[in-house]
Amino acid sequence: MLQKKYTFIDLFAGAGGLSEGFVRAGFTPIAHIEMDKYACETLKTRAAYHYFQEKNEIDIYKKYLINRKEGENGQKLWNQVPESVISSVIQATIGPSTIDDIFKRVDSLKGNKDVDIIIGGPPCQAYSIAGRARMGKDVEKDPRNELYKYYVQFLQRYKPKMFVFENVLGLFTAKKGEPFKDLRELVNSIGYEMQPQVQNASEHGVLQKRQRVIIVGWLKGGKNSKGKHYGYPLLMKEQNSYTVLRDLFSDLPPRIAGEGCLTEVVHYTKALEEMPYLKESSIRNSDFGFTTQHVARPHNANDREIYCLAIKQWREKKRQLDYSKLPPHLQTHKNTKSFLDRYSVVEPDGYSHTVVAHISKDGHYYIYPTPNPTIETARSITVREAARLQSFPDDYFFEGSRGAAFKQIGNAVPVVLAYKIAKELKKQL
């Protein structure tokens, strides 16, 4: 008997971290909807990867990565797959003037197939603490506050059996909790139950302390063919003895600030047998023997000197740097009252702190834990290292500039967490 292919629509898809986890668990995407141009290009490149993988022609993708030139987009790859694969990525801002057109495009992609699950996380600047701090009172007027209402419209139109809605913890407290209360009421009014839980990625096989609200919803009274009711997936907390420097970073060749380019083929310095975490998490999931995008951003000597102090302090005292306590000649900001943790080292002997989109602006919050750093060797993490912290596989290619790649990575749902959610939901279906 052929196993049923379960389908999903990915809203506010970003670079596809959530989607990748669902594909890995055996789901098939009908459509990805995303407003950011470079994230859409990344989604197209990944859709092409999955197409070639399914056809046992993965060498076409491998050859493409090897021959790719700096400054190109993925067009040469996209031209080699059917148009239907590429058109499943819809670049659009979801809003009142676009929703009908998006529905039409999704309808034509869907044909007569059912939609089993809708997944996605509306952009959360309006709910995040950083977003509120940055925007002040303007945050109340931000149209992104209302995006959850469009998510509900997709539920109403496509009637999936279940949905997954990911967001920051501020969802519970923004505007005194009104959007969250409203979301629950709207979902209830169209025939769904939902349950929120806070999940920490570090408890589910990701080497990153990342807390997010994962809401799972299901049709009221919905049951699978065995008569079992749908509900929140059972996500067992896992003990994980792996660490960032030894188990996640150590097979990538050393880099100094400014070294590398996005399309350079980078060979591993250790065999996969020596890197069990990378194997178990499917980060090194292909037999290519190389990765790409191991590119470090440049830093001035002043910052590299601060990085050295930050790493030294972390190694000696297990404490992050306090900006106000830096020697005066290194302090370039007048503000010594707030944002005192603007320089942070990625913890080498445990899990990293949360990777966020601000990594696209500078690397100060993600200093590489270089053993015995000097001003010459100190740097922040590379694009590939950031992607690994988010558990993206090494054959994942992020389109756009270095900054665009960092932004896509910072906004993503860790792939391994997404996979564990998807796997449990598939059992219910």
Side-chain angles (χ1 to χ4, degrees):
M1 194 177 95
L2 273 177
Q3 206 182 357
K4 175 171 165 27
K5 281 264 189 185
Y6 293 105
T7 60
F8 69 93
I9 296 171
D10 190 1
L11 305 177
F12 314 101
L18 198 50
S19 171
E20 182 73 8
F22 272 76
V23 171
R24 188 178 290 178
F27 288 81
T28 303
I30 287 172
H32 295 93
I33 298 144
E34 168 55 41
M35 61 186 250
D36 181 80
K37 171 181 185 277
Y38 295 119
C40 282
E41 291 187 357
T42 298
L43 289 166
K44 289 175 188 176
T45 296
R46 197 63 185 169
Y49 165 87
H50 286 303
Y51 172 81
F52 289 125
Q53 193 185 41
E54 212 166 279
K55 293 261 181 239
N56 286 325
E57 295 176 346
I58 202 66
D59 272 4
I60 297 175
Y61 181 80
K62 180 182 178 180
K63 202 178 293 176
Y64 164 75
L65 285 185
I66 291 169
N67 295 322
R68 185 167 168 148
K69 302 280 182 287
E70 195 79 355
E72 287 181 347
N73 70 4
Q75 195 65 54
K76 285 179 184 166
L77 181 71
W78 312 334
N79 289 344
Q80 297 179 69
V81 300
E83 168 55 27
S84 59
V85 174
I86 300 305
S87 64
S88 69
V89 178
I90 299 170
Q91 188 189 337
T93 302
I94 300 175
S97 61
T98 59
I99 190 107
D100 290 334
D101 180 56
I102 295 170
F103 282 155
K104 271 188 206 137
R105 291 174 70 180
V106 173
D107 289 348
S108 95
L109 289 163
K110 181 180 94 67
N112 56 10
K113 292 193 285 280
D114 287 338
V115 176
D116 292 304
I117 289 198
I118 287 179
I119 65 175
C124 52
Q125 282 80 349
Y127 306 140
S128 73
I129 292 160
R132 284 187 240 173
R134 194 173 58 250
M135 295 170 71
K137 288 206 172 78
D138 289 343
V139 82
E140 300 294 329
K141 303 191 217 68
D142 193 302
R144 289 173 294 196
N145 291 355
E146 308 287 304
L147 288 172
Y148 67 90
K149 294 178 180 174
Y150 294 103
Y151 190 108
V152 175
Q153 286 189 40
F154 276 85
L155 295 178
Q156 195 164 12
R157 185 176 184 95
Y158 296 109
K159 299 281 188 291
K161 298 174 185 75
M162 304 186 85
F163 69 85
V164 178
F165 181 110
E166 180 265 354
N167 223 286
V168 291
L169 272 62
L171 176 67
F172 292 142
T173 52
K175 291 183 157 183
K176 302 194 176 87
E178 279 171 39
F180 177 70
K181 189 165 158 264
D182 189 39
L183 172 65
R184 197 188 271 286
E185 284 168 5
L186 287 171
V187 160
N188 184 51
S189 72
I190 60 165
Y192 286 87
E193 292 179 61
M194 68 175 227
Q195 189 183 336
Q197 281 188 22
V198 174
Q199 302 293 350
N200 192 334
S202 67
E203 295 171 340
H204 301 291
V206 180
L207 301 190
Q208 181 194 163
K209 298 171 197 146
R210 185 188 192 88
Q211 286 193 309
R212 289 293 183 267
V213 177
I214 305 286
I215 298 171
V216 176
W218 53 90
L219 279 168
K220 285 179 191 169
K223 295 180 200 171
N224 66 17
S225 56
K226 292 178 181 159
K228 287 202 168 165
H229 283 277
Y230 301 137
Y232 202 95
L234 184 65
L235 297 175
M236 303 295 284
K237 291 183 183 179
E238 299 167 25
Q239 285 299 315
N240 188 338
S241 60
Y242 295 118
T243 63
V244 166
L245 191 58
R246 184 190 65 212
D247 301 302
L248 192 65
F249 289 172
S250 72
D251 65 330
L252 294 171
R255 284 284 187 250
I256 57 169
E259 191 180 0
C261 77
L262 286 167
T263 57
E264 180 189 343
V265 166
V266 174
H267 292 280
Y268 302 118
T269 60
K270 291 183 178 177
L272 188 53
E273 290 64 50
E274 297 174 66
M275 304 297 294
Y277 173 73
L278 295 181
K279 191 173 184 177
E280 285 169 29
S281 60
S282 294
I283 289 173
R284 266 176 69 171
N285 68 335
S286 62
D287 56 5
F288 291 0
F290 69 85
T291 184
T292 55
Q293 306 201 294
H294 186 38
V295 52
R297 51 159 46 98
H299 300 290
N300 62 41
N302 192 77
D303 282 335
R304 295 200 307 273
E305 195 175 335
I306 295 172
Y307 289 7
C308 286
L309 293 173
I311 297 165
K312 195 165 178 253
Q313 177 164 307
W314 177 261
R315 290 200 176 274
E316 287 171 6
K317 299 178 182 163
K318 294 282 181 280
R319 265 209 329 265
Q320 297 288 10
L321 195 72
D322 178 336
Y323 186 78
S324 65
K325 302 210 164 60
L326 274 176
H329 76 279
L330 292 174
Q331 289 184 8
T332 53
H333 296 272
K334 300 270 190 293
N335 181 357
T336 54
K337 297 278 187 288
S338 57
F339 299 117
L340 300 181
D341 63 348
R342 60 170 74 102
Y343 289 90
S344 283
V345 180
V346 173
E347 193 177 321
D349 305 317
Y351 306 152
S352 164
H353 51 282
T354 307
V355 179
V356 295
H358 184 84
I359 194 172
S360 66
K361 303 277 195 289
D362 62 56
H364 303 336
Y365 202 58
Y366 303 97
I367 301 167
Y368 184 86
T370 313
N372 309 312
T374 63
I375 290 180
E376 283 67 45
T377 60
R379 62 169 175 88
S380 58
I381 62 174
T382 66
V383 170
R384 182 53 58 197
E385 287 158 351
R388 282 182 166 194
L389 287 173
Q390 288 279 52
S391 62
F392 277 99
D394 275 356
D395 52 23
Y396 216 97
F397 194 92
F398 300 90
E399 298 287 350
S401 64
R402 185 186 65 225
F406 272 132
K407 182 182 169 191
Q408 292 169 57
I409 292 164
N411 280 328
V413 176
V415 174
V416 165
L417 174 62
Y419 167 66
K420 300 209 167 158
I421 294 166
K423 204 171 58 163
E424 291 305 316
L425 293 182
K426 192 177 173 197
K427 286 180 194 170
Q428 293 196 31
L429 292 174

